[in-house]
Amino acid sequence: MAAGRRVCVFPSPRELGPALARLVAEEAAAATAGGGRFTLGLSGGSLVQILARDLPAAAAAAAPSRWLLALCDERLVPAEHPESSGGAYAAQLLPRLPGPGPALLRVAPALPPAAAAADYEQQLRQAFPGQDVPVFDLLLLGLGPDGHTCSLFPGHPALQETEKLVVAVTDSPKPPPQRVTLTLPVLNAARAVAVVATGQAKGPVLKRILEGEEDEPLPAARVRPRSGRLLWLLDEAAAQGLSIPLERQDGS
């Protein structure tokens, strides 16, 4: 197993969710212990439902008012659209967290893609003053069956970006086509990254990422925090084809 990487396997998403919530709460408590803030990057998809279900109870003692939430990527659709990650978190998670709740940086979906990316990058720079690249306490990422994470897709030029914090994607192979996404320099600057993958359909790509040594690594395989921790949270269905050492968890 790669140095600094842990691969934890849960019986099902039902057990994985509380463990993910505890991870968030523990990282938040550590970051805010001295009166500081906790910075958390959120991805969309199934993570919204998992966090909305399991995080509120775990977060009660972790000072949510001192959290800064940001989106790891966003589809350029109105907030009320079902594909809007920011809209989903605002509707499903934030109202359930103990008040006063955290701040959430939002992408401006009405702007053209390049302008939306520039605007979001400016928000990040203002939120992380003095840092050339924002250092998040924790990033929560998902995984697509093609190996994409955030809106970084295989073979896309965005994978080569080294200067910008946020880039526009106008040709996403997965609808909707217009998006903005954090870049690899931001992902790899984080203090901790957790990648969540569940379901049998994720098995083949997980094997490529966690066991393979490919000349052109898939986007999720390029997530390698320089000085932070990398945690993979899987269910049994997703992990069943892996032959690497795994940490079996019961979720309790």
XYZ file of all heavy atoms in Angstrom, residues 115-195:
602
model
N -15.682 33.023 -16.451
C -15.914 34.051 -15.432
C -16.313 33.429 -14.101
O -15.909 33.901 -13.032
C -16.986 35.031 -15.913
N -17.106 32.349 -14.143
C -17.495 31.665 -12.910
C -16.272 31.066 -12.228
O -16.155 31.114 -10.991
C -18.521 30.576 -13.217
N -15.356 30.506 -13.016
C -14.134 29.948 -12.445
C -13.277 31.040 -11.821
O -12.749 30.876 -10.713
C -13.352 29.200 -13.518
N -13.130 32.168 -12.513
C -12.323 33.270 -11.985
C -12.943 33.843 -10.716
O -12.234 34.168 -9.754
C -12.164 34.355 -13.049
N -14.263 33.968 -10.696
C -14.952 34.487 -9.520
C -14.764 33.556 -8.322
O -14.496 34.013 -7.205
C -16.437 34.655 -9.829
C -17.235 35.096 -8.610
O -17.186 36.298 -8.280
O -17.899 34.241 -7.991
N -14.883 32.263 -8.554
C -14.735 31.304 -7.455
C -13.294 31.279 -6.964
O -13.043 31.185 -5.754
C -15.194 29.926 -7.906
C -15.394 28.940 -6.778
C -16.171 29.264 -5.673
C -14.797 27.685 -6.808
C -16.355 28.365 -4.630
C -14.978 26.780 -5.776
C -15.754 27.128 -4.693
O -15.924 26.239 -3.651
N -12.332 31.388 -7.886
C -10.930 31.447 -7.470
C -10.693 32.675 -6.595
O -9.987 32.595 -5.572
C -9.994 31.466 -8.674
C -8.547 31.625 -8.272
C -7.553 31.165 -9.326
O -7.907 30.333 -10.181
O -6.404 31.620 -9.264
N -11.281 33.807 -6.959
C -11.126 35.003 -6.154
C -11.720 34.827 -4.761
O -11.147 35.269 -3.760
C -11.780 36.195 -6.852
C -11.619 37.518 -6.125
C -10.169 37.936 -5.966
O -9.303 37.549 -6.757
N -9.876 38.721 -4.936
N -12.866 34.162 -4.683
C -13.444 33.869 -3.369
C -12.498 33.031 -2.514
O -12.336 33.278 -1.313
C -14.773 33.124 -3.532
C -15.916 33.930 -4.109
C -17.199 33.116 -4.068
O -17.618 32.622 -3.016
N -17.826 32.951 -5.224
N -11.887 32.028 -3.132
C -10.963 31.175 -2.398
C -9.743 31.963 -1.925
O -9.283 31.794 -0.786
C -10.524 30.000 -3.265
C -11.572 28.918 -3.521
C -11.067 27.938 -4.565
C -11.907 28.170 -2.234
N -9.215 32.818 -2.780
C -8.036 33.596 -2.393
C -8.367 34.539 -1.240
O -7.544 34.756 -0.346
C -7.487 34.356 -3.594
C -6.888 33.432 -4.660
C -5.996 34.150 -5.636
N -5.452 33.247 -6.641
C -4.401 32.442 -6.446
N -3.773 32.453 -5.288
N -3.974 31.648 -7.422
N -9.570 35.089 -1.247
C -9.972 35.950 -0.134
C -10.204 35.142 1.140
O -9.940 35.632 2.249
C -11.246 36.706 -0.517
C -11.037 37.754 -1.596
C -12.333 38.403 -2.050
O -13.426 37.965 -1.696
N -12.221 39.452 -2.845
N -10.669 33.917 0.998
C -10.942 33.073 2.160
C -9.678 32.469 2.759
O -9.677 32.066 3.932
C -11.908 31.955 1.778
N -8.607 32.390 1.956
C -7.328 31.832 2.422
C -6.226 32.861 2.192
O -5.314 32.637 1.400
C -7.007 30.538 1.677
C -7.909 29.375 1.988
C -9.127 29.234 1.338
C -7.542 28.412 2.918
C -9.965 28.157 1.605
C -8.372 27.338 3.200
C -9.584 27.210 2.550
N -6.296 33.997 2.881
C -5.306 35.063 2.632
C -3.900 34.609 2.998
O -3.693 33.871 3.969
C -5.782 36.200 3.542
C -6.562 35.530 4.624
C -7.233 34.362 3.958
N -2.948 35.029 2.168
C -1.559 34.711 2.442
C -1.111 33.348 1.969
O 0.061 32.997 2.147
N -2.010 32.566 1.389
C -1.654 31.242 0.886
C -1.713 31.254 -0.642
O -2.760 31.555 -1.225
C -2.611 30.175 1.429
C -2.559 30.021 2.936
C -3.469 28.898 3.440
O -3.984 28.091 2.668
N -3.672 28.847 4.743
N -0.607 30.936 -1.274
C -0.609 30.859 -2.739
C -1.591 29.792 -3.222
O -2.269 29.972 -4.230
C 0.795 30.545 -3.260
C 1.756 31.709 -3.067
O 1.272 32.860 -2.949
O 2.969 31.473 -3.003
N -1.637 28.690 -2.483
C -2.600 27.625 -2.750
C -3.343 27.344 -1.451
O -2.705 27.080 -0.420
C -1.908 26.335 -3.251
C -2.936 25.230 -3.471
C -1.137 26.612 -4.532
N -4.674 27.409 -1.449
C -5.416 27.151 -0.214
C -5.107 25.766 0.352
O -5.045 24.791 -0.393
C -6.883 27.243 -0.654
C -6.860 28.089 -1.875
C -5.568 27.776 -2.554
N -4.933 25.717 1.663
C -4.683 24.453 2.346
C -5.936 24.116 3.151
O -6.165 24.662 4.235
C -3.445 24.531 3.256
C -3.247 23.200 3.982
C -2.210 24.889 2.439
N -6.759 23.233 2.611
C -7.966 22.790 3.298
C -7.597 21.796 4.404
O -6.682 20.984 4.243
C -8.928 22.120 2.324
C -9.741 23.069 1.491
C -9.251 23.557 0.290
C -11.001 23.483 1.912
C -9.998 24.429 -0.483
C -11.761 24.358 1.158
C -11.263 24.835 -0.049
N -8.359 21.847 5.488
C -8.173 20.832 6.522
C -8.603 19.459 6.026
O -7.965 18.452 6.344
C -8.971 21.207 7.772
C -8.422 22.444 8.444
O -7.215 22.479 8.730
O -9.206 23.381 8.690
N -9.690 19.409 5.252
C -10.214 18.132 4.768
C -10.965 18.360 3.467
O -11.757 19.295 3.356
C -11.155 17.519 5.805
C -11.860 16.207 5.451
C -10.851 15.084 5.219
C -12.850 15.813 6.544
N -10.713 17.515 2.493
C -11.471 17.482 1.255
C -12.192 16.138 1.156
O -11.575 15.095 1.394
C -10.560 17.652 0.031
C -9.799 18.967 -0.113
C -8.898 18.919 -1.346
C -10.760 20.147 -0.208
N -13.455 16.178 0.802
C -14.233 14.968 0.571
C -14.480 14.835 -0.921
O -15.125 15.690 -1.527
C -15.561 15.025 1.330
C -15.475 15.231 2.835
C -16.872 15.196 3.452
C -14.580 14.183 3.493
N -13.986 13.761 -1.511
C -14.075 13.565 -2.951
C -14.875 12.307 -3.269
O -14.909 11.356 -2.488
C -12.673 13.429 -3.566
C -11.670 14.551 -3.275
C -10.366 14.279 -4.018
C -12.236 15.918 -3.631
N -15.486 12.307 -4.434
C -16.131 11.125 -4.971
C -15.291 10.527 -6.084
O -14.195 11.003 -6.398
N -15.807 9.488 -6.689
C -15.095 8.777 -7.757
C -16.094 8.321 -8.798
O -17.080 7.654 -8.472
C -14.352 7.564 -7.187
C -13.659 6.650 -8.195
C -12.462 7.358 -8.830
C -13.221 5.345 -7.535
N -15.828 8.665 -10.056
C -16.655 8.182 -11.149
C -16.135 6.865 -11.694
O -14.960 6.525 -11.514
N -16.975 6.095 -12.361
C -16.529 4.811 -12.906
C -15.454 4.943 -13.984
O -14.791 3.961 -14.309
C -17.819 4.191 -13.467
C -18.774 5.321 -13.619
C -18.420 6.325 -12.581
N -15.278 6.152 -14.508
C -14.202 6.400 -15.470
C -12.932 6.893 -14.797
O -11.938 7.182 -15.462
C -14.648 7.420 -16.520
C -14.995 8.778 -15.922
O -15.048 8.886 -14.675
O -15.222 9.732 -16.692
N -12.950 7.009 -13.459
C -11.775 7.470 -12.731
C -11.741 8.962 -12.485
O -10.766 9.467 -11.931
N -12.799 9.678 -12.855
C -12.772 11.123 -12.596
C -13.075 11.410 -11.134
O -13.738 10.630 -10.442
C -13.742 11.865 -13.525
C -15.163 11.907 -13.072
N -16.109 11.001 -13.487
C -15.818 12.766 -12.234
C -17.272 11.297 -12.943
N -17.123 12.358 -12.167
N -12.563 12.527 -10.668
C -12.906 13.054 -9.359
C -13.015 14.555 -9.498
O -12.373 15.146 -10.367
C -11.869 12.646 -8.293
O -12.386 12.928 -6.989
C -10.547 13.357 -8.485
N -13.836 15.190 -8.636
C -14.264 16.569 -8.892
C -14.815 16.595 -10.320
O -15.534 15.681 -10.708
C -13.122 17.551 -8.683
S -12.491 17.566 -6.993
N -14.461 17.601 -11.105
C -14.796 17.563 -12.533
C -13.507 17.505 -13.348
O -13.337 18.180 -14.359
C -15.649 18.768 -12.928
O -16.976 18.629 -12.451
N -12.601 16.668 -12.878
C -11.345 16.384 -13.573
C -11.501 15.028 -14.244
O -11.538 13.998 -13.578
C -10.182 16.372 -12.577
C -9.928 17.693 -11.830
C -8.919 17.484 -10.708
C -9.446 18.768 -12.804
N -11.604 15.061 -15.578
C -11.922 13.860 -16.344
C -10.684 13.322 -17.057
O -9.749 14.076 -17.366
C -13.029 14.165 -17.364
C -14.345 14.490 -16.728
C -14.696 15.801 -16.453
C -15.225 13.477 -16.362
C -15.907 16.112 -15.846
C -16.433 13.769 -15.757
C -16.775 15.088 -15.491
N -10.650 12.009 -17.340
C -9.493 11.418 -18.018
C -9.172 12.134 -19.323
O -10.064 12.420 -20.126
C -9.933 9.967 -18.273
C -10.936 9.690 -17.198
C -11.664 10.997 -16.995
N -7.894 12.441 -19.512
C -7.430 13.047 -20.741
C -7.749 14.519 -20.896
O -7.413 15.113 -21.935
N -8.364 15.137 -19.906
C -8.774 16.535 -20.050
C -7.596 17.476 -19.758
O -6.791 17.215 -18.862
C -9.926 16.850 -19.098
C -10.676 18.088 -19.458
N -10.221 19.348 -19.151
C -11.839 18.266 -20.154
C -11.075 20.247 -19.604
N -12.062 19.621 -20.222
N -7.494 18.586 -20.510
C -6.400 19.536 -20.267
C -6.364 20.086 -18.843
O -5.305 20.512 -18.368
C -6.683 20.659 -21.284
C -7.473 20.013 -22.375
C -8.293 18.957 -21.698
N -7.493 20.088 -18.144
C -7.520 20.604 -16.776
C -6.555 19.849 -15.864
O -6.089 20.390 -14.856
C -8.939 20.531 -16.214
N -6.237 18.604 -16.207
C -5.320 17.817 -15.390
C -3.902 18.381 -15.408
O -3.108 18.081 -14.520
C -5.293 16.364 -15.873
C -6.573 15.559 -15.677
C -6.478 14.236 -16.412
C -6.823 15.312 -14.184
N -3.593 19.192 -16.434
C -2.237 19.726 -16.570
C -2.089 21.098 -15.926
O -0.991 21.664 -15.926
C -1.868 19.810 -18.058
C -2.090 18.526 -18.842
C -1.437 17.310 -18.198
O -0.310 17.394 -17.706
N -2.130 16.175 -18.208
N -3.168 21.645 -15.384
C -3.114 22.993 -14.815
C -2.251 23.026 -13.559
O -2.415 22.207 -12.658
C -4.535 23.465 -14.474
C -4.605 24.857 -13.890
C -4.038 25.911 -14.816
O -4.486 25.994 -15.981
O -3.134 26.644 -14.360
N -1.322 23.971 -13.506
C -0.436 24.079 -12.354
C -0.501 25.440 -11.675
O 0.032 25.603 -10.574
C 1.026 23.816 -12.761
O 1.418 24.771 -13.759
C 1.193 22.402 -13.308
N -1.131 26.430 -12.298
C -1.141 27.784 -11.750
C -2.498 28.178 -11.170
O -2.571 28.754 -10.080
C -0.743 28.794 -12.837
C 0.644 28.569 -13.405
C 1.735 28.759 -12.366
O 1.558 29.585 -11.457
O 2.775 28.064 -12.457
N -3.577 27.879 -11.873
C -4.901 28.296 -11.432
C -5.412 27.371 -10.335
O -5.131 26.182 -10.314
C -5.878 28.298 -12.610
C -5.566 29.329 -13.671
C -6.575 29.260 -14.817
C -6.275 30.301 -15.871
N -7.231 30.223 -17.012
N -6.208 27.952 -9.438
C -6.860 27.167 -8.391
C -8.140 26.518 -8.890
O -8.529 25.456 -8.422
C -7.203 28.059 -7.186
C -6.088 28.910 -6.595
C -6.625 29.720 -5.412
C -4.900 28.055 -6.182
N -8.803 27.199 -9.816
C -10.099 26.770 -10.335
C -10.074 26.918 -11.848
O -9.560 27.910 -12.365
C -11.248 27.635 -9.757
C -12.601 27.129 -10.246
C -11.206 27.665 -8.235
N -10.614 25.949 -12.552
C -10.721 26.055 -14.009
C -12.147 25.732 -14.440
O -12.895 25.050 -13.728
C -9.739 25.115 -14.746
C -8.299 25.530 -14.485
C -9.960 23.669 -14.355
N -12.489 26.244 -15.603
C -13.780 25.946 -16.205
C -13.676 24.694 -17.053
O -12.655 24.437 -17.695
C -14.229 27.117 -17.070
N -14.734 23.917 -17.049
C -14.874 22.747 -17.925
C -16.139 22.968 -18.736
O -17.226 23.119 -18.167
C -14.972 21.440 -17.105
C -15.247 20.249 -18.016
C -13.699 21.216 -16.297
N -15.995 23.030 -20.049
C -17.155 23.294 -20.907
C -17.572 22.081 -21.717
O -18.568 22.137 -22.438
C -16.853 24.453 -21.875
O -15.710 24.111 -22.673
C -16.550 25.737 -21.103
N -16.820 20.994 -21.574
C -17.078 19.803 -22.402
C -17.088 18.538 -21.551
O -16.544 17.510 -21.936
C -16.025 19.688 -23.502
C -14.593 19.682 -22.956
O -14.413 19.908 -21.741
O -13.649 19.469 -23.754
N -17.692 18.622 -20.379
C -17.737 17.452 -19.509
C -18.405 16.278 -20.215
O -19.491 16.424 -20.789
C -18.527 17.772 -18.232
O -18.854 16.590 -17.537
N -17.774 15.100 -20.197
C -18.409 13.930 -20.813
C -19.632 13.453 -20.048
O -20.404 12.641 -20.545
C -17.297 12.880 -20.800
C -16.391 13.296 -19.703
C -16.438 14.795 -19.669
N -19.792 13.953 -18.836
C -20.953 13.622 -18.015
C -21.811 14.874 -17.876
O -21.319 15.916 -17.445
C -20.495 13.139 -16.637
C -21.618 12.765 -15.684
C -21.048 12.339 -14.341
C -22.171 11.987 -13.363
N -21.633 11.620 -12.040
N -23.081 14.832 -18.273
C -23.921 16.030 -18.185
C -24.071 16.486 -16.736
O -24.004 15.661 -15.814
C -25.263 15.564 -18.754
C -24.970 14.322 -19.511
C -23.802 13.681 -18.840
N -24.310 17.790 -16.543
C -24.278 18.865 -17.536
C -22.854 19.212 -17.945
O -21.924 19.027 -17.161
C -24.954 20.028 -16.801
C -24.687 19.755 -15.364
C -24.681 18.270 -15.210
N -22.662 19.728 -19.176
C -21.311 19.883 -19.712
C -20.518 21.032 -19.112
O -19.289 20.983 -19.102
C -21.552 20.114 -21.204
C -22.936 20.687 -21.282
C -23.705 20.025 -20.177
N -21.179 22.076 -18.612
C -20.470 23.247 -18.119
C -20.321 23.181 -16.599
O -21.302 23.083 -15.862
C -21.193 24.529 -18.536
C -21.202 24.741 -20.043
C -21.738 26.095 -20.427
O -22.522 26.703 -19.699
N -21.321 26.585 -21.578
N -19.059 23.289 -16.151
C -18.737 23.131 -14.733
C -17.536 23.991 -14.376
O -16.824 24.482 -15.264
C -18.389 21.664 -14.413
C -19.467 20.651 -14.763
C -18.884 19.260 -14.905
N -19.940 18.273 -15.136
C -20.242 17.279 -14.305
N -19.545 17.111 -13.195
N -21.213 16.439 -14.584
N -17.268 24.128 -13.105
C -15.982 24.616 -12.629
C -15.466 23.604 -11.613
O -16.237 22.901 -10.955
C -16.065 26.025 -12.012
C -16.573 27.026 -13.039
C -16.914 26.041 -10.770
N -14.139 23.537 -11.485
C -13.554 22.529 -10.609
C -12.263 23.028 -10.002
O -11.523 23.811 -10.620
C -13.289 21.223 -11.380
O -12.779 20.223 -10.485
C -12.288 21.422 -12.513
N -12.000 22.605 -8.767
C -10.679 22.794 -8.199
C -9.666 22.014 -9.025
O -9.985 20.997 -9.636
C -10.634 22.304 -6.743
C -11.537 22.992 -5.727
C -11.289 22.424 -4.333
C -11.358 24.497 -5.731
N -8.429 22.484 -9.005
C -7.370 21.831 -9.753
C -6.542 20.929 -8.838
O -6.644 20.986 -7.600
C -6.456 22.876 -10.403
O -5.925 23.740 -9.377
C -7.235 23.705 -11.424
N -5.709 20.121 -9.458
C -4.886 19.189 -8.680
C -3.967 19.886 -7.667
O -3.774 19.353 -6.567
C -4.067 18.305 -9.621
C -4.850 17.187 -10.312
C -4.007 16.526 -11.394
C -5.328 16.142 -9.298
N -3.388 21.060 -7.975
C -2.573 21.707 -6.937
C -3.344 21.962 -5.640
O -2.775 21.851 -4.549
C -2.129 23.012 -7.601
C -2.077 22.680 -9.054
C -3.245 21.763 -9.267
N -4.633 22.296 -5.731
C -5.432 22.516 -4.529
C -5.709 21.194 -3.827
O -5.576 21.067 -2.601
C -6.744 23.240 -4.863
C -7.562 23.474 -3.596
C -6.483 24.555 -5.574
N -6.095 20.175 -4.595
C -6.385 18.883 -3.992
C -5.163 18.339 -3.257
O -5.283 17.779 -2.161
C -6.834 17.881 -5.057
C -8.053 18.257 -5.918
C -8.456 17.081 -6.801
C -9.216 18.719 -5.067
N -3.999 18.514 -3.841
C -2.801 17.909 -3.272
C -2.128 18.773 -2.209
O -1.106 18.370 -1.637
C -1.812 17.560 -4.388
C -2.285 16.363 -5.189
O -2.942 15.473 -4.664
N -1.964 16.336 -6.477
N -2.709 19.942 -1.924
C -2.211 20.775 -0.833
C -2.954 20.519 0.469
O -2.536 21.009 1.527
C -2.331 22.252 -1.204
N -4.038 19.755 0.435
C -4.889 19.569 1.612
C -4.172 18.791 2.710
O -3.310 17.949 2.453
C -6.171 18.844 1.230
N -4.600 19.077 3.946
C -4.049 18.330 5.081
C -4.569 16.898 5.123
O -3.902 16.000 5.622
C -4.382 19.047 6.389
C -3.698 20.398 6.526
C -3.946 21.021 7.892
N -3.203 22.268 8.020
C -3.698 23.470 7.724
N -4.954 23.576 7.303
N -2.960 24.547 7.859
N -5.782 16.699 4.622
C -6.356 15.354 4.567
C -7.347 15.313 3.414
O -8.065 16.283 3.164
C -7.040 14.997 5.879
N -7.387 14.180 2.740
C -8.330 13.937 1.653
C -8.981 12.585 1.882
O -8.291 11.592 2.150
C -7.639 13.934 0.267
C -8.642 13.622 -0.838
C -6.952 15.267 -0.002
N -10.303 12.548 1.791
C -11.040 11.280 1.885
C -11.799 11.082 0.582
O -12.573 11.955 0.172
C -11.997 11.294 3.064
N -11.569 9.952 -0.065
C -12.273 9.604 -1.298
C -13.276 8.512 -0.964
O -12.906 7.463 -0.419
C -11.308 9.116 -2.389
C -12.057 8.921 -3.705
C -10.149 10.094 -2.581
